[in-house]
């Protein structure tokens, strides 16, 4: 069983920044794949980024160059630094680790976590124009 607790969401104007945190109940270096997905009301889940057990990230094209995933293994905490935020980034963001492993920990696999794996309760990010 893996517990994931997100924090750090909020409201920001377009062009601004936010940093999300995800505290895990297990040693995150033992997880072969962990990351973030998002889901807005009425829309499908979208994988944002995954990071594999060696710390290599895999970003969705929509956030590449703007978002950065990192981890503090001493604290078992995952971070998502979000810069140059756009209104289309408005969504609920979830930390997740899938039970299904795929090479490179792609964002699409992260998005399967609620069905096959573990995810947190989410944190809301709202970007206004």
């Amino acid at each position: 069983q893996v517990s994931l607790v997100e924090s750090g969401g909020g409201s920001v104007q377009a062009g601004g920044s936010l940093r999300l945190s995800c505290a895990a109940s297990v040693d995150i270096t033992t997880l072969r794949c962990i990351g973030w997905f998002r889901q807005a009301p009425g829309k499908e889940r979208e994988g944002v980024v995954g990071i594999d057990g060696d710390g290599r990230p895999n970003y969705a094209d929509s956030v590449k160059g703007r978002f950065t995933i990192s981890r503090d293994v001493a604290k078992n905490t995952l971070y998502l630094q979000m810069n140059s935020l756009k209104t289309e980034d408005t969504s609920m963001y979830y930390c997740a680790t899938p039970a299904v492993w795929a090479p490179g920990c792609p964002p699409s696999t992260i998005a399967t976590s609620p069905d096959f794996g573990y995810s947190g309760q989410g944190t809301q990010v709202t970007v206004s124009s």
Side-chain angles (χ1 to χ4, degrees):
Q1 190 77 11
V2 180
S3 173
L4 302 168
V5 179
E6 305 94 338
S7 61
S11 297
V12 65
Q13 287 194 321
S17 298
L18 282 173
R19 188 176 82 154
L20 307 183
S21 299
C22 169
S25 63
V26 300
D27 179 351
I28 59 174
T29 62
T30 66
L31 300 173
R32 292 192 295 177
C33 179
I34 188 170
W36 299 86
F37 72 90
R38 63 189 181 187
Q39 188 166 22
K43 294 189 177 181
E44 293 187 355
R45 284 178 221 150
E46 179 188 8
V48 175
V49 59
I51 186 167
D52 68 11
D54 292 325
R56 291 172 296 205
N58 190 337
Y59 296 96
D61 288 343
S62 59
V63 305
K64 202 170 291 183
R66 300 187 298 123
F67 291 11
T68 302
I69 191 171
S70 62
R71 58 183 190 172
D72 185 331
V73 298
K75 296 181 178 179
N76 290 323
T77 299
L78 193 70
Y79 300 101
L80 183 65
Q81 178 66 43
M82 305 185 295
N83 298 330
S84 302
L85 282 161
K86 304 176 181 180
T87 55
E88 51 263 44
D89 294 318
T90 295
S91 192
M92 187 73 81
Y93 284 72
Y94 299 86
C95 179
T97 183
V100 178
W101 178 82
C105 190
S108 57
T109 299
I110 295 293
T112 68
S113 298
D115 305 311
F116 306 103
Y118 301 95
S119 56
Q121 293 300 306
T123 187
Q124 178 67 37
V125 172
T126 302
V127 185
S128 59
S129 58

